[in-house]
Amino acid sequence: MPAARVEIKASAELKRVMAAYYEEIRQAAEEGKGKVAWCTSVGPAEILYALGFRVYFPENHGAMLGAARLSSSLIPAANSIGYSPDICSYLTSDIGAYLKGETPLKKAYGLKSIPRPDVLVYNTNQCRDVQDWFSFYQREFNVPLVGVSTPHPVPELGEAHVRAVEAQLESLIEPLEKVAGTKLDTAELRKVVALSRECSDLWGRVLRTGAHIPSPISFFDGCIHMGPAVVLRGRKEAVEYYKILLAELEGRIKDGVAAVPGERIRLYWEGMPVWGRLRDLSELCISLRACFVVSTYCNSWIFDELDPSRPLESMARAYTKLFINRTEQIKEAYIRELVREFKVHGVVFHDSKTCPNNANSRYGMPRRLAGAGIPTLTFNGDLCDLRLYSDAQVRTSLEAFVEQLTGSAGAQEAKGRGQERP
Amino acid sequence: MRELYLGVDVGSWSTKAVLIDGQRRPVGKGIRRSGVDLARATEECRAEALAAAGARAEDIRRAIATGFGRDAVAFANGFRTEISCHARGAFHHFPGEMTVVDIGGQDSKVIRVGAQGRHMSFRMNRKCAAGTGAFLEETAIKLSVPSEKLSELAARSTKRIQLGSFCTVFTSTEILGLIRRGERVEDIARGLLASVAARIVEMEPLSGTVVLTGGVIAHQPFLKEIFEQDHGLRVLVPPDPQFIGALGAALYAAD
């Protein structure tokens, strides 16, 4: 019988850090202590922090709505004003919440509502939806909307790509300075980029602990603990937090503490999380003694190109080099490398209905990987809209995949395996 | 006391039980509509299988449950997914490498089985009725025939009709158009079965030996001909195809 699951102790500190982050935003929005910029999750946050903005990330809000399982009741409100149920369910959840005046930020962090933006800043490196999402709020709040249109999908990153994005980043500065009421201090930008890089490096080290057998961290843990890497990169609070988390995970490795007690199967999660099912899926995996030890999703906030000596250029590189913005060939090579590095037994693709840009099973990749001897499973679901997700189908698929990987379907090998009634 | 092993497959449409003896020979079976009381359905299936075998509950050494409702089997000693169970049950009848196509009431699966009986990989249908028994249940209503008559009608078809949509609702609308156009019910029935086969072939390229299992082939035997005629496949259907999942579970119980 494997040992009981051990909770990550740093979770308490995570809650404190996130609460402090939202308190700053609340003070800016409700007490006039600073300006609020909305930013896409892999947008140019460093410029915004260097200009003194409080930076709010609607995608974090979308994930919160999904995790709170509120999306299915909010999305129809967005649908009714013309936002299709087939587009990004972060977008439709968030706009639906706005239309209905609902937000989990009230209960969780004491905000009266989502914070009113002074400016909206996007980067299309993830998808076009973010631009259309922010355009809605531009019309609602009548505030400036600025952003970067990143070339997509990018093969090997060329200088032309970098220059095109860097020029766009430069062109953001003037309008943002106007809203901030201050000039961008290059020294401050370098400092923020340095902190962002430090956060990114620590987050990368946190995730790489998953390469250890057994893994001290699962994908589901990663989805929770990635918060500061998304919303506070460029701030010292994120750096401090990941030092604490990393120390704990390294201690777990030393003490042999596994995220999934009795880990026997190591899996790769490809695609978006199913935010409303993190706990259920985590518990299912624990019962199967299968651990998602690595994911492209959590890795997407590792920006190893950031360089304070070349702030804008390195930001252009980092934010264009993003996995989600790359060609199928580069994505496949990346996944194969991680499968090898993390000693993964199988790759599970989440074909997220409303996130085509980050559903990487749609152009034949699972079959190509399987052809190369890497077992794969694809299941249908969604990041937020649980109406597109079947608990029973996903459970059966994951259990059958584990049976496949453990060889338990074999006539001679079945003995003593599978799920016994306690 | 006898040495018997029980497999119970609680599907979305029906619950099946198979009892085998120590030599892995089927000695009894039972089937019920799953309905709303899964516990009752499983108990009745077990009782029917025991009665057929002339055995008592104490003779059952071990029971394995499978299917979407497997948690409802209170007397099960363990669980397996229906993917493993269909692979195991099909391999029992046709030992060797094959592709098992299990078409059930609410879902369908394509399972690759290796030469040693292991399931090597599998695909499940999307969250959609296309390519499942539910599609046939729904569309048969539009033809005003019981769904179990579709196969008989399709066998008398003289014209191939290809349905344009895979959506159950759109297909129902399309059927109304075909009826208005004067198409024969026999040809539309074949078109419906052909639609199910087409959805399966879209899930995974099929080749080699294909074994059809599950409730749909049990009630629509003409589907075998459709796979062979329309897709050029070599298709085998085991005895009692609806019970293959339960048989696989019983074989696991006997391990």
Side-chain angles (χ1 to χ4, degrees):
Chain A
M1 191 75 183
R5 182 172 180 267
V6 180
E7 294 296 329
I8 294 178
K9 294 188 196 77
S11 299
E13 178 62 11
L14 174 72
K15 278 184 190 150
R16 196 195 63 72
V17 169
M18 293 302 284
Y21 159 75
Y22 274 110
E23 174 57 19
E24 269 193 354
I25 290 179
R26 190 198 67 75
Q27 288 177 8
E30 296 174 11
E31 297 170 15
K33 293 181 182 169
K35 297 275 175 67
V36 176
W38 288 18
C39 186
T40 53
S41 64
V42 274
E46 290 80 4
I47 297 176
L48 301 172
Y49 275 126
L51 280 166
F53 284 107
R54 304 300 180 215
V55 189
Y56 170 76
F57 294 84
E59 281 151 89
N60 184 242
H61 193 237
M64 286 175 81
L65 295 168
R69 292 180 286 282
L70 295 169
S71 294
S72 301
S73 65
L74 300 172
I75 290 169
N79 299 155
S80 72
I81 64 158
Y83 287 86
S84 164
D86 292 333
I87 64 171
C88 171
S89 61
Y90 274 165
L91 181 162
T92 48
S93 301
D94 184 68
I95 290 180
Y98 172 80
L99 294 170
K100 295 179 86 166
E102 290 180 24
T103 172
L105 296 175
K106 288 182 192 176
K107 197 175 159 196
Y109 302 114
L111 275 78
K112 287 184 187 142
S113 65
I114 52 167
R116 190 186 193 285
D118 293 294
V119 65
L120 303 154
V121 188
Y122 64 84
N123 188 339
T124 60
N125 49 1
Q126 292 159 277
C127 59
R128 63 161 281 180
D129 294 53
V130 292
Q131 186 178 5
D132 293 292
W133 184 357
F134 281 25
S135 297
F136 169 82
Y137 288 108
Q138 179 196 28
R139 292 187 291 274
E140 286 298 306
F141 294 116
N142 193 27
V143 293
L145 170 69
V146 293
V148 176
S149 297
T150 297
H152 169 87
V154 171
E156 288 303 330
L157 193 63
E159 289 310 302
H161 297 119
V162 177
R163 278 199 304 275
V165 175
E166 186 183 359
Q168 292 184 70
L169 289 171
E170 276 167 5
S171 71
L172 295 181
I173 293 171
E174 194 185 328
L176 289 172
E177 286 176 337
K178 204 177 283 178
V179 179
T182 181
K183 286 279 172 196
L184 181 67
D185 177 352
T186 307
E188 182 62 21
L189 180 63
R190 288 180 199 278
K191 203 175 105 189
V192 173
V193 170
L195 282 168
S196 202
R197 174 65 193 265
E198 202 179 345
C199 165
S200 161
D201 287 350
L202 284 162
W203 177 234
R205 288 176 64 192
V206 161
L207 293 176
R208 268 195 300 279
T209 62
H212 188 267
I213 300 174
S215 172
I217 184 170
S218 77
F219 165 68
F220 307 110
D221 297 322
C223 288
I224 304 296
H225 289 269
M226 67 192 271
V230 177
V231 303
L232 282 166
R233 64 180 189 276
R235 295 279 301 262
K236 66 175 182 347
E237 294 90 330
V239 170
E240 296 309 319
Y241 176 66
Y242 288 119
K243 283 179 183 166
I244 294 169
L245 181 61
L246 181 61
E248 182 176 347
L249 295 174
E250 286 173 342
R252 280 182 163 218
I253 288 174
K254 207 168 120 239
D255 300 336
V257 177
V260 169
E263 174 195 294
R264 60 174 179 159
I265 292 291
R266 296 168 63 78
L267 298 170
Y268 183 130
W269 182 285
E270 177 48 50
M272 297 298 291
V274 183
W275 285 108
R277 287 290 182 268
L278 289 185
R279 178 176 288 276
D280 296 33
L281 288 169
S282 171
E283 285 172 0
L284 173 62
C285 287
I286 288 166
S287 76
L288 296 171
R289 290 164 53 202
C291 185
F292 282 95
V293 298
V294 61
S295 72
T296 319
Y297 181 71
C298 290
N299 278 12
S300 295
W301 281 267
I302 301 172
F303 304 111
D304 51 14
E305 292 283 352
L306 288 177
D307 180 350
S309 70
R310 298 172 290 117
L312 290 183
E313 185 211 317
S314 71
M315 282 174 67
R317 280 185 197 282
Y319 291 136
T320 308
K321 205 181 158 189
L322 213 62
F323 175 86
I324 191 170
N325 195 46
R326 307 305 293 281
T327 59
E328 186 82 352
Q329 291 83 349
I330 295 211
K331 287 181 176 180
E332 186 178 324
Y334 181 84
I335 292 170
R336 281 176 182 238
E337 177 57 24
L338 289 178
V339 164
R340 192 194 58 75
E341 186 186 339
F342 283 75
K343 302 165 202 80
V344 161
H345 297 113
V347 179
V348 176
F349 286 84
H350 171 205
D351 187 349
S352 180
K353 168 78 172 165
T354 72
C355 190
N357 243 26
N358 202 21
N360 296 302
S361 58
R362 297 184 180 185
Y363 297 86
M365 191 150 9
R367 281 191 74 84
R368 289 198 299 276
L369 292 179
I374 301 168
T376 64
L377 168 73
T378 302
F379 73 87
N380 296 109
D382 191 58
L383 60 164
C384 283
D385 193 345
L386 291 177
R387 298 170 302 178
L388 301 168
Y389 178 85
S390 162
D391 286 303
Q393 271 213 4
V394 174
R395 181 189 153 194
T396 296
S397 296
L398 274 174
E399 286 181 2
F401 194 47
V402 169
E403 286 175 352
Q404 174 187 324
L405 295 174
T406 53
S408 62
Q412 301 305 314
E413 303 171 56
K415 222 166 189 172
R417 293 225 177 104
Q419 310 137 63
E420 298 298 314
R421 187 182 282 285
Chain B
M1 191 185 284
R2 293 168 70 184
E3 180 193 341
L4 300 177
Y5 301 93
L6 182 69
V8 184
D9 177 5
V10 186
S12 58
W13 190 253
S14 60
T15 295
K16 289 80 60 179
V18 167
L19 208 49
I20 59 172
D21 64 15
Q23 283 71 52
R24 292 173 163 74
R25 291 175 305 213
V27 292
K29 63 184 184 186
I31 184 165
R32 289 286 184 279
R33 278 287 297 273
S34 295
V36 293
D37 189 346
L38 296 181
R40 184 174 166 182
T42 57
E43 290 289 353
E44 288 180 2
C45 281
R46 178 172 69 159
E48 190 180 331
L50 283 168
R56 297 170 306 165
E58 305 84 83
D59 296 331
I60 299 172
R61 298 281 177 89
R62 198 155 178 264
I64 293 286
T66 188
F68 276 135
R70 55 191 175 276
D71 292 342
V73 185
F75 52 79
N77 303 106
F79 306 96
R80 298 277 169 179
T81 64
E82 51 270 43
I83 289 146
S84 290
C85 289
H86 276 270
R88 185 80 190 267
F91 189 79
H92 180 77
H93 287 292
F94 307 114
E97 211 170 294
M98 68 185 129
T99 302
V100 177
V101 174
D102 164 38
I103 311 176
Q106 305 277 327
D107 67 11
S108 42
K109 306 169 195 85
V110 176
I111 310 160
R112 295 251 185 237
V113 180
Q116 304 304 314
R118 284 180 58 178
H119 91 247
M120 311 300 287
S121 65
F122 65 96
R123 293 291 302 272
M124 284 178 82
N125 64 313
R126 296 160 69 85
K127 198 180 149 198
C128 170
T132 73
F135 170 83
L136 296 175
E137 288 292 327
E138 185 64 31
T139 50
I141 295 169
K142 298 292 170 198
L143 294 182
S144 301
V145 296
S147 63
E148 60 270 21
K149 292 280 179 199
L150 285 176
S151 188
E152 202 181 307
L153 288 165
R156 297 203 300 269
S157 165
T158 54
K159 179 181 175 187
R160 291 196 186 184
I161 290 177
Q162 192 176 358
L163 294 161
S165 172
F166 52 72
C167 167
T168 306
V169 175
F170 285 4
T171 301
S172 296
T173 314
E174 197 177 342
I175 288 170
L176 296 178
L178 293 170
I179 292 167
R180 272 201 302 274
R181 213 168 72 190
E183 299 291 356
R184 295 167 65 230
V185 172
E186 289 84 349
D187 298 329
I188 301 174
R190 191 190 189 285
L192 292 173
L193 292 179
S195 170
V196 170
R199 300 293 80 77
I200 301 297
V201 172
E202 283 166 7
M203 286 165 68
E204 184 88 5
L206 298 181
S207 60
T209 302
V210 173
V211 176
L212 294 179
T213 66
V216 170
I217 187 61
H219 295 295
Q220 314 288 353
F222 191 69
L223 198 54
K224 175 181 188 288
E225 272 71 28
I226 289 183
F227 273 104
E228 289 172 339
Q229 291 168 7
D230 294 10
H231 302 286
L233 295 165
R234 177 175 176 253
V235 179
L236 299 173
V237 180
D240 291 330
Q242 199 167 4
F243 289 86
I244 292 300
L247 171 66
L251 291 166
Y252 277 120
D255 279 339

